[in-house]
Each structure stands twice: as structure tokens, then as C-alpha cells.
Amino acid sequence: MTGNPILAARLESAGLTQGELADRLNKRIGDLTGQPGKLTDRHVRNWLTGKTRWPQGRQRFVLEEEFGTSAEELGFIPPAGRARAPSEDPVRRRIFTTATASLTAAAILPPTPSNGSTRLGMSDADRLERNFADLVQADNEGQTGIRLETRALAHAQHALDLQAVGQASMRVRRRLYYLAAAFTGTALWAAIEAQEQQRAQGHLNKAMTLAGMAGSSELQMRLWGHAAVLSIQQRHMHDALAAAEAGRRANVCRNDALFRSLAGARLAGILAAVGEDSAALRTLAHAEKTYDRAITDEGHPAWMSFFDRAELNGLAALVMARLGRHAEAEAHLHRTLSLLRPDFHRNRAYYTIHLALAQLAQGEADQAVSTALPLVEEGGAPLAERSRNLLLQFDRGLRRTASGAGFVSEWQDRFNEGEQKL
């Protein structure tokens, strides 16, 4: 994971490894001072992870020269209270930054526009929508993190750049705002999975604005759901409840039972978390009945593809676990894992950890270890930060409740071996 997605995107678009960037910067330092620099890939890695948030002056200078933009615009954060004068004319910098952003997008985005004219049509939006469906699939398959986040942000910017290409009908423009909001929402979810709360908050604010410009109740409902999860991470539980309630009030929930079921299941989870037990159970029961009446096989956007009977059982399990009804949570989780589509790797890992936690909460530590062990097997896929933290929670609970058991020693050995992968 990274604490500087902007620098990561620049590095990726330039096709440079961390070591190659260090070599190029060392050459620039040599040209500047007469002595080659001593940067290594470790320095670059520290910039990408956010361990070094503000490089030294000479390093900042060559970074700015390499990428043609300021350190701040490369995602670095100056110490509090420090202000810098721009190192070059702001108009020139803006032109250069826009040009390089366009080149970055050109490597991964559809052409602009499709027929070489200055008139945009729905075909231009349709190509971007196909890319959005591909990103949603990548997310469902567990390809979260910085690469997904930066790809989504590049697509969002491309959708906005198209607005300036030429003439378009209001219908086309609303669709482009819709797509910009949808891509930014995917970047938001990737940041939430990485538990990068500050970055996620910025994506949320921008996506909400774009969804409003698009006039899309559907996307606003999606974003309120993400806002609720982010507020839980921030431990702002009443904000989480307000966000979940706002999602259920969205117009799309009045008109479409599938959206109404999803919003209700999410709200039930928040109600359980804040101690509103009876309301949580009523809301969950209503969401389950609503799902039975929903049309699930057509007419819904790509991002709703994750919400099926398996996911509904998973959300119900979270409600039951928060209410302390761990046997019922376990039953729901078994149904989730039996119904979950094979390519939904991220959700399978996430709900498997919850199953292990439910078993541990019932005193079935041996069974819980058997459930969790495959997640730390050699050669397994890395976990998203949110799932990794859940697994760490499981590890702490296991050591607290069954520290002397032989199977716990086996778990510790395997877990410690796999921790670098996680």
C-alpha cells in the first residue's frame, strides 16, 4: 500500500521502477552539484508509503525537475506552517501538469473523442462505462489498493476532461459527470479498503459533488454507503448512522427494491453497532423481505453486481455478530461462503475472517484456526488492509482465549511466516 497515490501514479505512467527513479534523480543531482546523488530505492519506497512525507530540499528539487511539477502536486505534504514560493510560473506549471496528466490518461483510457470531431456523443461515454465495468470486476476480484485507486482517478479525470473537448448535449454531459462520480467512488472504496482515511475523505467529497452535478440518486446512495463505512473507521458512529439513513432515503430506494434492500441491510449493521438492537433486527428483516421482491438479473449498474443473496447473508452476519448472536452469524456466513461467486476473492477472504471470529466467540478456537489458516498459506493472495486488520484482531483474540493450546502454536508459526505477505 502507499501513502502517496499521486507519486505512485506518476511513477507507473512513466514506466519506472523505484530503483530506476532513484538512478535518474541521482544523475540530476550529479548534473546539479558535480557529485552523483546517493538516493536508493529505499528512499523512493519511503516516499510512496508516506514514511517520508516531505523530502529534503535537494531531493525535492530534482523530483520537481524530473516530473515538471511541484512537490506538493506530486503528493508530498510540507511541515505545518511552512509555505513555499512557486518554483516556476504558475501558468506554465498548470499547462505542463495538464499535458502530462493527459499523456498519463492516454496510456490507459479510450481515445478522445472517438471520431476525431469536436462533438461528443453517448458513444464516448459508453467506452468509459465499459472501462468502469472492468474496474468494478477488478475490485470484486480483490485487486484493491493503489493501482486500482489511481486507475479509477485517472478515468474520473478523463471523464471531466472530455467536458472541455467540444460540444455535447446536456444528456451526454450528465452522463460524463455520472461516470466521473462513479470512478471517484471506486477510488474512494479502494482507499477505504486500504484504511487511508484522509485520502478517502477527499475522494468522498469530490464524488458527492460530481454525483450531485450528474443528478444521480443511485450514485448518491452508493456514496452514502461508503461514507458510513468510512465513518466507522473514523469511530464517528453517529455520522455513520446518519450516512446510512441518508442512503436509505435516496430516491432510487423508493423506486427499486434491490437498492432498498442493500440500503436497509447496511443501515441494520450500523443500528446494531450503536446499540439499537430491536431497530437493527426490524430493519434487517425488512431488507431480507425486500430482497425477495427485487428484480436482480437486469437493469442495474455495474457497481451493484456484488449485491446478491451471498452478500445479503454476509451483511446479516455482521448484524448478528454486533448483537452478540454469534451462532446465527456463523450460520449466515456459511451460507455466504457457499453462495459467493468464485471470482469474488476479496469478499471471500473478508467473510472467512468473520467466520473465524464468530467461531472463536463461541469458544470453538480449534475450528476457528482451521477456518483462518488458509488465509495465511504460502502463495495466497495478499489481503486488503481492512481484512488484514480483522485477521490481526483474530490473532489477538485467539492468544487471549486459548494461548496454551497446541493448535495456537501452529497458528502462530504459520501466521508469523505469512505476516509479510499480509
Side-chain angles (χ1 to χ4, degrees):
M1 295 300 170
T2 177
N4 190 337
I6 299 174
L7 181 62
R10 290 299 188 96
L11 196 64
E12 181 179 341
S13 67
L16 295 174
T17 66
Q18 296 173 20
E20 288 168 344
L21 177 60
D23 291 342
R24 290 171 71 121
L25 296 180
N26 285 334
K27 184 178 184 304
R28 287 186 179 276
I29 291 173
D31 293 341
L32 182 69
T33 66
Q35 294 291 329
K38 298 180 180 179
L39 293 170
T40 67
D41 58 350
R42 179 176 58 82
H43 292 91
V44 179
R45 184 162 56 253
N46 287 344
W47 298 338
L48 291 169
T49 60
K51 184 176 181 180
T52 300
R53 297 165 66 85
W54 189 244
Q56 297 174 3
R58 183 183 299 174
Q59 296 171 3
R60 291 199 310 273
F61 183 84
V62 293
L63 274 163
E64 291 174 340
E65 288 294 308
E66 178 69 29
F67 291 105
T69 189
S70 71
E72 291 90 342
E73 290 167 333
L74 288 172
F76 293 108
I77 302 174
R82 178 179 299 184
R84 292 200 314 157
S87 60
E88 63 178 43
D89 178 72
V91 175
R92 177 179 178 273
R93 182 184 302 285
R94 187 161 57 250
I95 292 170
F96 190 93
T97 302
T98 301
T100 54
S102 297
L103 288 172
T104 300
I108 57 175
L109 300 175
T112 309
S114 59
N115 58 3
S117 73
T118 58
R119 179 80 185 177
L120 292 173
M122 288 304 293
S123 61
D124 298 291
D126 288 345
R127 288 194 322 280
L128 265 179
E129 187 142 13
R130 287 192 292 272
N131 284 20
F132 177 64
D134 290 342
L135 278 185
V136 168
Q137 183 63 24
D139 179 28
N140 288 336
E141 292 175 1
Q143 299 176 37
T144 53
I146 187 60
R147 179 168 173 79
L148 179 70
E149 185 179 349
T150 54
R151 287 171 64 197
L153 291 175
H155 279 85
Q157 186 59 51
H158 189 65
L160 294 175
D161 290 344
L162 281 172
Q163 299 274 6
V165 167
Q167 296 180 340
S169 68
M170 185 55 66
R171 177 170 170 264
V172 170
R173 292 198 182 281
R174 280 199 300 269
R175 195 63 183 169
L176 290 173
Y177 282 125
Y178 170 94
L179 287 164
F183 281 118
T184 307
T186 296
L188 161 63
W189 182 249
I192 287 173
E193 282 280 276
Q195 299 206 308
E196 292 286 351
Q197 296 170 14
Q198 183 175 3
R199 207 160 71 221
Q201 189 66 56
H203 297 335
L204 174 62
N205 296 341
K206 184 172 183 179
M208 279 291 192
T209 299
L210 292 168
M213 294 167 73
S216 175
S217 171
E218 163 214 310
L219 274 183
Q220 288 170 336
M221 178 266 184
R222 178 197 185 197
L223 295 171
W224 282 125
H226 292 349
V229 177
L230 177 59
S231 293
I232 290 174
Q233 287 187 357
Q234 296 166 332
R235 293 181 170 80
H236 299 160
M237 298 307 298
H238 291 291
D239 288 348
L241 181 59
E245 288 176 334
R248 196 173 67 163
R249 289 195 303 269
N251 286 336
V252 70
C253 292
R254 288 197 287 269
N255 301 323
D256 191 305
L258 193 66
F259 285 95
R260 189 160 63 251
S261 175
L262 172 58
R266 286 172 167 171
L267 176 58
I270 308 298
L271 288 167
V274 299
E276 297 286 346
D277 296 9
S278 297
L281 290 172
R282 286 196 307 271
T283 303
L284 177 61
H286 185 265
E288 291 171 331
K289 290 178 182 177
T290 302
Y291 186 90
D292 291 337
R293 299 193 299 269
I295 299 173
T296 59
D297 57 352
E298 60 181 27
H300 293 104
W303 67 265
M304 274 290 282
S305 62
F306 81 100
F307 186 57
D308 55 12
R309 184 73 66 178
E311 180 67 17
L312 179 60
N313 273 283
L315 293 173
L318 300 184
V319 174
M320 294 303 171
R322 288 167 180 168
L323 295 177
R325 297 164 66 158
H326 299 292
E328 293 171 77
E330 181 179 3
H332 279 292
L333 288 163
H334 281 299
R335 287 195 287 272
T336 291
L337 294 171
S338 68
L339 294 171
L340 201 61
R341 282 171 268 181
D343 54 338
F344 276 33
H345 304 304
R346 182 200 65 211
N347 282 5
R348 184 168 297 280
Y350 179 74
Y351 286 126
T352 297
I353 301 169
H354 275 290
L355 175 58
L357 286 167
Q359 292 165 338
L360 185 62
Q362 296 174 78
E364 300 170 358
D366 194 356
Q367 180 60 53
V369 167
S370 296
T371 298
L373 269 176
L375 297 173
V376 295
E377 292 285 353
E378 185 176 354
L383 297 177
E385 190 68 15
R386 191 166 67 120
S387 292
R388 180 179 182 275
N389 285 344
L390 274 177
L391 200 59
L392 290 169
Q393 177 186 329
F394 171 78
D395 177 62
R396 290 192 297 269
L398 182 65
R399 285 186 280 114
R400 186 171 58 250
T401 60
S403 59
F407 59 83
V408 175
S409 298
E410 179 191 1
W411 161 262
Q412 284 296 149
D413 291 342
R414 301 274 287 279
F415 179 71
N416 292 334
E417 288 173 5
E419 196 165 9
Q420 289 299 318
K421 177 202 75 176
L422 300 176

